[in-house]
């Protein structure tokens, strides 16, 4: 973890949509990587999705040397799992009731990727957490951030959330100051937004949290929209559920390189995607600054 001389007042941002396949992970790791490198800010990415695609994408780029063909998988299995350096350590159920739960130390779970960029790796075992009836589990990420004073260490903490309503999804949102919605222009996009807004509003009401929406970012956008896509976009933006959501002027273009390029899945490795991420990042920072005034 890189040392910083000045104490920070970091912001926590959940990247979330209740619909899968919207480029959520690409946006999360792109923002984290760009903020840490171009903006020279100290960033922590928390992978709260059991599929842990953010973890694989970042490990593939920064921890792959010397680990064979499936470098990211090998590093994860040979280094991360044996040391239990994943988010599951925050949610691991108690076995001995005589011993109270203690928030893990940050050095026991956080992995440094490069200067200014750290990760709390995802874990498939998170799916087990949703079977737990203990409501205190929804406070685990927030307590980790607060107990270990992570806001004083990081400028931004970005949480890649799963596209499902779970204990750990609520935990991510409860820990956050803001949430950001990646959204693909398709016929069913309103379904994810409607479910998300209901979940967020319920959480705000029940838990009395101050959680603000930074806006919606269109992802996987073609350079020029077809008349059919324009119609879908117009219809989507006219829906009641979208009326209170600001839409970013910046967007993420459709880029096959991210899925199939030899440079891996990190969007900042490709010129067009990097330009998209840069524009989104600048708009994101400006929006946060405006809210904080």
């Amino acid at each position: 973890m890189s040392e910083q001389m000045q104490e920070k007042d970091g912001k926590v941002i959940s990247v979330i949509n209740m619909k899968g396949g919207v480029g959520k992970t690409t946006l999360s790791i792109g923002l984290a990587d760009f903020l840490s490198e171009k903006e020279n800010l100290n960033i922590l990415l928390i992978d709260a999705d059991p599929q842990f695609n953010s973890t694989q994408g970042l490990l593939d780029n920064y921890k792959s040397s010397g680990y064979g063909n499936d470098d990211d998988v090998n590093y994860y299995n040979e280094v991360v799992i044996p040391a239990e350096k994943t988010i599951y350590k925050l949610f691991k159920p108690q076995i001995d009731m005589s011993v109270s739960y203690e928030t893990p130390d940050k050095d026991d779970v956080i992995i440094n990727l490069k200067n200014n960029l750290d990760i709390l790796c995802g874990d498939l075992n998170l799916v087990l957490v949703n079977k737990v009836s203990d409501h205190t589990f929804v406070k685990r990420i927030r307590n980790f951030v607060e107990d270990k004073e992570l806001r004083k260490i990081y400028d931004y903490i970005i949480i890649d959330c799963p596209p499902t309503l779970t204990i750990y999804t609520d935990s991510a949102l409860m820990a956050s100051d803001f949430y950001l919605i990646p959204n693909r222009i398709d016929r069913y996009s309103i379904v994810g937004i409607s479910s998300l807004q209901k979940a967020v509003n319920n959480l705000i009401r029940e838990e009395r949290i101050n959680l603000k929406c930074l806006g919606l970012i269109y992802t996987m956008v073609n350079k020029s929209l077809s008349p059919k896509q324009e119609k879908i976009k117009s219809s989507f933006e006219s829906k009641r559920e979208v009326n209170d959501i600001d839409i970013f002027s910046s967007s993420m273009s459709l880029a096959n390189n991210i899925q199939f390029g030899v440079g891996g899945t990190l969007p900042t490795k490709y010129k067009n995607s990097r330009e998209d991420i840069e524009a989104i990042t600048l708009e994101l920072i400006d929006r946060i600054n405006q809210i904080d005034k």
Side-chain angles (χ1 to χ4, degrees), residues 2-13:
S2 55
E3 294 183 359
Q4 301 290 324
M5 296 300 294
Q6 186 175 358
E7 190 174 281
K8 301 177 181 301
D9 181 22
K11 307 301 180 186
V12 184
I13 305 169

Side-chain angles (χ1 to χ4, degrees), residues 68-102:
N69 293 325
D70 297 321
D71 291 338
D72 57 329
V73 176
N74 288 336
Y75 182 88
Y76 186 83
N77 289 334
E78 295 175 18
V79 178
V80 177
I81 293 297
E84 295 187 324
K85 280 197 165 189
T86 75
I87 191 171
Y88 185 60
K89 199 162 190 174
L90 271 62
F91 291 96
K92 204 167 183 180
Q94 287 178 249
I95 299 175
D96 185 351
M97 294 305 295
S98 66
V99 180
S100 60
Y101 170 82
E102 290 188 9

Side-chain angles (χ1 to χ4, degrees), residues 46-277:
I46 297 177
D47 191 351
D49 190 336
Q51 296 185 61
F52 61 94
N53 290 328
S54 283
T55 296
Q56 294 179 77
L58 288 173
L59 293 183
D60 184 44
N61 277 275
Y62 295 115
K63 291 291 187 182
S64 63
S65 179
Y67 281 88
N69 293 325
D70 297 321
D71 291 338
D72 57 329
V73 176
N74 288 336
Y75 182 88
Y76 186 83
N77 289 334
E78 295 175 18
V79 178
V80 177
I81 293 297
E84 295 187 324
K85 280 197 165 189
T86 75
I87 191 171
Y88 185 60
K89 199 162 190 174
L90 271 62
F91 291 96
K92 204 167 183 180
Q94 287 178 249
I95 299 175
D96 185 351
M97 294 305 295
S98 66
V99 180
S100 60
Y101 170 82
E102 290 188 9
T103 305
D105 188 78
K106 63 182 185 300
D107 294 329
D108 290 337
V109 288
I110 291 175
I111 291 174
N112 175 246
L113 295 170
K114 65 171 183 173
N115 189 38
N116 292 341
L117 180 58
D118 294 345
I119 185 171
L120 175 51
C121 292
D123 194 322
L124 180 61
N125 286 315
L126 269 186
V127 297
L128 302 174
V129 176
N130 218 39
K131 299 177 182 179
V132 178
S133 59
D134 187 348
H135 181 69
T136 63
F137 272 52
V138 300
K139 301 176 183 177
R140 291 288 174 90
I141 297 178
R142 186 193 68 184
N143 290 351
F144 176 59
V145 171
E146 292 181 357
D147 292 350
K148 304 309 171 184
E149 299 185 315
L150 299 187
R151 291 176 187 272
K152 295 181 180 180
I153 299 171
Y154 299 101
D155 295 282
Y156 291 102
I157 299 171
I158 297 172
I159 308 178
D160 183 9
C161 299
T164 50
L165 293 173
T166 61
I167 289 175
Y168 41 91
T169 306
D170 285 353
S171 186
L173 290 170
M174 278 193 64
S176 299
D177 304 298
F178 308 101
Y179 67 102
L180 186 63
I181 310 170
N183 192 65
R184 190 173 182 176
I185 300 172
D186 64 32
R187 190 178 301 278
Y188 306 106
S189 57
I190 194 62
V191 176
I193 303 301
S194 178
S195 298
L196 174 61
Q197 292 300 83
K198 287 177 183 176
V200 168
N201 289 333
N202 285 339
L203 199 64
I204 290 173
R205 183 176 61 253
E206 294 297 326
E207 301 293 344
R208 306 294 196 267
I209 57 174
N210 186 22
L211 178 63
K212 298 182 179 69
C213 182
L214 284 173
L216 180 147
I217 298 173
Y218 286 124
T219 57
M220 303 181 185
V221 179
N222 290 316
K223 290 184 178 179
S224 58
L225 296 181
S226 67
K228 184 178 181 180
Q229 288 174 316
E230 288 283 6
K231 186 175 180 181
I232 292 173
K233 180 174 178 287
S234 177
S235 174
F236 170 78
E237 292 178 0
S238 70
K239 301 295 184 183
R240 176 177 52 84
E241 293 92 337
V242 186
N243 288 343
D244 296 330
I245 302 175
D246 289 332
I247 297 176
F248 275 56
S249 58
S250 310
S251 62
M252 280 289 292
S253 303
L254 184 64
N256 288 331
N257 280 341
I258 295 175
Q259 278 74 41
F260 308 112
V262 295
T265 59
L266 193 58
T268 48
K269 298 293 182 184
Y270 305 97
K271 181 178 181 296
N272 291 340
S273 298
R274 183 179 178 86
E275 290 174 354
D276 290 344
I277 288 291

